């Protein structure tokens, strides 16, 4: 693999073939790429698997809930692969909070899309497939719901499973989970754990809304990283990504797993601070 100059560190970022047709720089990794380059790492990006340039480390960055098997197979030619073991992040696959009709659970529940980000990446890629491919695939990746769930804003919370429309149990694209919020002074709490290798950053935010993506950042609720988070991340094979969770009765309640985390404002102070802390996490992979 090493046909490049000895001593140079080369990182290969593998994107989906349709990624460059959209605003693919909407992800945190693109801010990190600039920082890695500034640190002397040569970064190459490929879209699809037609090209296989030599590299010390390959980074699988496919913004889909289920990574196509061809991409997983493609990474096997590289000596080190980040997130090469994370093939399926659907909530129907990873959720630790699932509730089904036979569950003996009578507390609050939340109804979500099984796909990450409510299936928006899948829909974006679907639009860019050829006309023949779209006909062959027959239908877009969004399942047919009798309720509109196209973003986090469409998630539904019910006081008990019995208050939920019974037909929701039969929607294969939906998941029903225990709703276990963390609250402080009447506000809902969101904890975000970003990680890259051995480096990680945690953010704690508060909002009056039970379902939110961005709230008021606070520091007085910071707590040391719970060992259960690290253990779960290791078991699932995540090298890079973000877990969203709450703390309930002293233990983490993880409700979202992301391997291609997005970024709203690349220039924001919060983003730049986080990137500087995460970027060194890549170093051990080159050893």
């Amino acid at each position: 693999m090493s046909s490049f100059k000895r001593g140079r560190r080369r990182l290969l970022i593998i994107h989906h073939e349709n990624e460059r047709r959209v605003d693919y720089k909407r992800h945190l990794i693109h801010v990190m790429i600039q920082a890695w380059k500034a640190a002397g790492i040569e970064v190459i990006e490929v879209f699809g698997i037609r090209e296989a340039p030599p590299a010390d480390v390959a980074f699988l960055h496919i913004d889909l809930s289920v990574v196509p098997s061809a991409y997983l197979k493609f990474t096997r030619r590289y000596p080190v692969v980040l997130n090469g073991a994370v093939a399926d992040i659907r909530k129907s696959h990873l959720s630790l909070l699932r509730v089904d009709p036979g569950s003996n659970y009578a507390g609050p529940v939340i109804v979500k899309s099984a796909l990450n980000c409510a299936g928006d990446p899948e829909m974006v890629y679907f639009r860019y497939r050829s006309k023949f491919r779209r006909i062959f695939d027959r239908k877009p990746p969004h399942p047919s719901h009798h309720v509109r769930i196209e973003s986090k804003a469409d998630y539904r919370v019910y006081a008990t499973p019995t208050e939920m429309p019974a037909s929701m149990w039969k929607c294969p694209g939906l998941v029903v989970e225990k709703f276990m919020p963390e609250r402080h002074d009447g506000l809902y709490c969101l904890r975000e754990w970003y990680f890259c290798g051995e480096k990680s950053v945690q953010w704690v935010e508060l909002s009056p809304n039970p379902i939110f993506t961005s709230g008021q950042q606070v520091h007085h609720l910071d707590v040391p990283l719970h060992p259960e988070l690290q253990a779960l991340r290791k078991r699932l094979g995540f090298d890079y990504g973000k877990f969203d969770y709450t703390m309930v009765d002293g233990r983490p309640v993880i409700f979202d797993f992301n391997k291609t985390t997005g970024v709203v404002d690349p220039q924001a102070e919060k983003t730049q601070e986080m990137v500087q802390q995460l970027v060194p996490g890549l170093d051990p992979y080159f050893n």
Side-chain angles (χ1 to χ4, degrees):
M1 292 308 295
S2 44
S3 60
F4 43 92
K5 188 179 296 185
R6 183 184 296 240
R8 175 177 293 179
R9 298 180 296 170
R10 179 177 285 182
L11 171 66
L12 175 68
I13 311 291
I14 304 166
H15 300 287
H16 189 275
E17 63 181 347
N18 287 339
E19 184 69 13
R20 62 177 152 195
R21 300 185 182 184
V22 299
D23 180 18
Y24 80 97
K25 293 192 176 181
R26 64 194 185 279
H27 296 110
L28 178 65
I29 195 173
H30 292 97
V31 187
M32 298 183 69
I33 284 173
Q34 299 308 311
W36 281 324
K37 288 180 177 179
I41 296 174
E42 181 182 3
V43 182
I44 301 172
E45 297 179 76
V46 294
F47 299 83
I49 54 178
R50 295 181 180 180
E51 300 177 64
D56 298 295
V57 176
F59 193 136
L60 189 60
H61 195 271
I62 306 297
D63 192 10
L64 290 171
S65 296
V66 179
V67 179
S69 59
Y71 285 86
L72 298 172
K73 183 178 180 180
F74 176 80
T75 63
R76 295 174 191 158
R77 66 188 68 199
Y78 292 97
V80 179
V81 182
L82 274 70
N83 278 1
V86 186
D88 187 345
I89 62 168
R90 288 175 298 178
K91 296 175 185 68
S92 53
H93 178 66
L94 292 183
S95 177
L96 305 174
L97 305 170
R98 287 286 299 275
V99 177
D100 59 48
S103 299
N104 184 23
Y105 175 77
V109 293
I110 182 169
V111 181
K112 306 176 177 179
S113 166
L115 297 174
N116 184 51
C117 199
D120 184 63
E122 281 80 1
M123 287 301 297
V124 170
Y125 288 174
F126 181 81
R127 295 188 194 106
Y128 283 100
R129 294 176 187 176
S130 67
K131 182 177 180 180
F132 171 79
R133 186 66 191 176
R134 278 181 282 165
I135 293 173
F136 180 79
D137 290 339
R138 295 186 180 179
K139 61 181 181 179
H142 267 305
S144 296
H145 302 154
H146 68 279
V147 293
R148 181 185 177 90
I149 296 187
E150 296 182 358
S151 71
K152 185 178 289 188
D154 298 322
Y155 290 173
R156 310 287 184 90
V157 177
Y158 298 92
T160 67
T162 57
E163 294 188 13
M164 193 183 82
S167 56
M168 284 186 170
W169 295 115
K170 300 178 182 179
C171 288
L174 299 180
V175 294
V176 181
E177 295 183 327
K178 298 177 183 178
F179 182 60
M180 302 179 68
E182 175 184 354
R183 301 191 71 178
H184 300 277
D185 298 324
L187 299 175
Y188 291 89
C189 182
L190 168 65
R191 298 178 182 272
E192 300 173 309
W193 178 38
Y194 296 82
F195 48 83
C196 179
E198 297 177 356
K199 301 296 183 179
S200 67
V201 178
Q202 291 195 83
W203 300 102
V204 183
E205 298 179 345
L206 295 175
S207 171
N209 302 313
I211 304 170
F212 68 100
T213 300
S214 180
Q216 177 188 0
Q217 184 183 350
V218 297
H219 295 286
H220 68 281
L221 297 175
D222 290 345
V223 294
L225 187 68
H226 197 284
E228 287 184 20
L229 290 167
Q230 287 282 25
L232 180 62
R233 177 191 159 191
K234 182 177 181 181
R235 180 169 66 83
L236 297 179
F238 278 78
D239 300 302
Y240 166 89
K242 177 174 74 82
F243 290 177
D244 291 346
Y245 70 103
T246 57
M247 291 295 294
V248 178
D249 296 329
R251 297 185 62 185
V253 177
I254 305 114
F255 55 86
D256 191 62
F257 305 84
N258 198 328
K259 57 181 172 55
T260 53
T261 184
V263 61
V264 176
D265 183 1
Q267 302 305 319
E269 182 178 349
K270 171 184 174 179
T271 303
Q272 293 297 322
E273 177 184 341
M274 177 167 54
V275 165
Q276 292 306 313
Q277 295 185 58
L278 294 179
V279 158
L282 195 68
D283 291 344
Y285 293 100
F286 289 101
N287 297 331

